[in-house]
Amino acid sequence: MHARDISVPEPGHRSPYRPVIGAAPGIPHSSTPPIPSSILLTDSYPEGPRKVVVVNGEVDYETAPVMSAVLRNALRDSAEGVDVDLSAVRFWDCAALNALLRLRREALAHGKTVIVRSPSRTARRVLDLTGTARLFRPPVFEGRAVTPPSRP
């Protein structure tokens, strides 16, 4: 069974940290047609004792709560933890990172893990700059990383 969520912020709300998309130089922002600033798609599926959540789009303070809810549900429904595929993430900010860190804390409290799979360049940059990338790597046993099975 797949779960799919779509989040579009309320009209008029836009992250103050991102430029307006589609604004031409020299033209005031008010004359630009409104474009949703954040769109987030998520998909989840079971993979053995773990759940995989694919995050696609932009994760910021507007969409992080939706991603967080999807991740918490996946954690609850898994036996061992959650693998988060961030390969299709186009924007990733501190709200997204905080949601991931909260999920990790909850997972550890229940004896589970959170692994980030294939972070996009954007997500990898935030994880690397904050020194948190190592928190989301697969556990290492006897000098070898445990790799999840490949998706059919």
Side-chain angles (χ1 to χ4, degrees):
M1 174 185 265
H2 294 282
R4 187 173 297 266
D5 289 306
I6 299 174
S7 172
V8 177
E10 295 178 28
H13 289 152
R14 183 183 69 78
S15 173
Y17 305 105
R18 276 192 287 164
V20 175
I21 298 170
I27 299 175
H29 295 285
S30 61
S31 64
T32 304
I35 299 172
S37 62
S38 300
I39 297 176
L40 173 70
L41 299 170
T42 60
D43 193 14
S44 64
Y45 58 90
E47 192 171 88
R50 302 184 66 78
K51 280 284 252 199
V52 177
V53 176
V54 179
V55 180
N56 182 346
E58 302 174 357
V59 189
D60 59 13
Y61 77 95
E62 297 167 336
T63 57
V66 173
M67 181 188 76
S68 185
V70 171
L71 291 172
R72 279 194 319 273
N73 288 338
L75 182 65
R76 184 191 65 232
D77 295 342
S78 72
E80 291 183 6
V82 176
D83 292 0
V84 186
D85 182 335
L86 299 178
S87 60
V89 168
R90 293 185 311 271
F91 185 84
W92 183 266
D93 72 0
C94 61
L97 177 60
N98 283 327
L100 206 56
L101 289 168
R102 281 190 300 273
L103 179 74
R104 180 180 183 269
R105 186 174 34 226
E106 186 178 336
L108 292 174
H110 291 96
K112 299 178 182 183
T113 59
V114 176
I115 296 172
V116 170
R117 289 186 180 182
S118 309
S120 68
R121 183 175 171 201
T122 303
R124 181 182 308 278
R125 180 169 167 78
V126 173
L127 292 168
D128 288 344
L129 286 173
T130 59
T132 55
R134 63 181 175 76
L135 300 175
F136 301 102
R137 291 189 183 125
V140 177
F141 298 104
E142 298 178 20
R144 294 185 316 158
V146 177
T147 56
S150 61
R151 185 175 175 189

